[in-house]
Amino acid sequence: MPRIFIIEDNASLRTLLLRVFHQLGHDVLGFSDGQEFLDALSRPDFIYPDAILTDHMMPSISGLEMLQQLRRNPDLANTPVIVFSAVDDDALKKQFFQAGAADFIVKGSIGIKDLEHYLGKHFRDNSESVTKFNPAI
C-alpha cells in the first residue's frame, strides 16, 4: 500500500486529508509543517514515503524551503512531492518545479478525492521504498 506523507499546517485540512487517503487504502502520516517533517528524518525508525503532499505557506519553513532541503537527502531525492497550495502564482510554481516538485495543485481547483489521481501518477514502485534501519537500537 503506498505511503503518503501529508505536510499541512491547517489541522482541520490535514485531518481530513489523512482520513480520506486512509479510507482509500493508503498508509498515511501527517506533519504540521515542513520543519517537523525534516526533524523526523533523523529518527532511527523513520520510514520513507512513496509520495509527499505539502502545503507551501507554513509557519516554520515554507514548502519550497522544505523541498529544497529534502532534495539534498539522497534517500528522498526522487520521492514525488506534490504541492497543494492556496497560492496560484506562476512564478511560485516555476520555483517549485525548478526545486524538483512533481506537481503543483491549487487548493480549491479540484476535489479532495481527486488528489488521489494526482498522487497516483507519481508513486514510485513500492519495491523501491526504503526504510532507514539502525541495528544499534
Side-chain angles (χ1 to χ4, degrees):
M1 133 179 28
R3 183 176 305 111
I4 302 170
F5 285 2
I6 297 170
I7 306 168
E8 170 61 58
D9 61 316
N10 180 307
S12 298
L13 180 55
R14 184 176 61 251
T15 300
L16 176 64
L17 291 167
L18 289 167
R19 185 177 304 129
V20 168
F21 284 111
H22 178 74
Q23 289 174 349
L24 291 170
H26 299 288
D27 182 17
V28 292
L29 185 60
F31 298 90
S32 62
D33 61 46
Q35 190 60 55
E36 181 185 14
F37 167 71
L38 292 172
D39 291 346
L41 291 175
S42 63
R43 292 194 323 235
D45 61 343
F46 184 80
I47 298 174
Y48 291 92
D50 296 301
I52 297 170
L53 179 67
T54 186
D55 189 8
H56 168 56
M57 296 188 312
M58 296 182 284
S60 59
I61 63 171
S62 72
L64 183 59
E65 292 169 308
M66 186 270 312
L67 176 61
Q68 291 165 336
Q69 290 185 41
L70 177 145
R71 289 298 181 227
R72 292 185 203 123
N73 181 324
D75 293 322
L76 291 166
N78 296 314
T79 301
V81 175
I82 294 86
V83 181
F84 188 53
S85 178
V87 179
D88 186 5
D89 178 78
D90 289 338
L92 180 64
K93 290 176 188 177
K94 183 177 179 180
Q95 287 180 302
F96 268 103
F97 287 124
Q98 288 174 337
D103 215 333
F104 190 108
I105 302 164
V106 177
K107 290 178 181 175
S109 66
I110 64 170
I112 296 228
K113 289 188 178 182
D114 294 328
L115 279 174
E116 183 185 36
H117 168 74
Y118 284 91
L119 285 167
K121 292 189 318 183
H122 302 290
F123 285 139
R124 61 184 178 176
D125 185 296
N126 276 341
S127 64
E128 295 178 16
S129 293
V130 178
T131 301
K132 189 185 222 180
F133 176 71
N134 184 343
I137 293 183

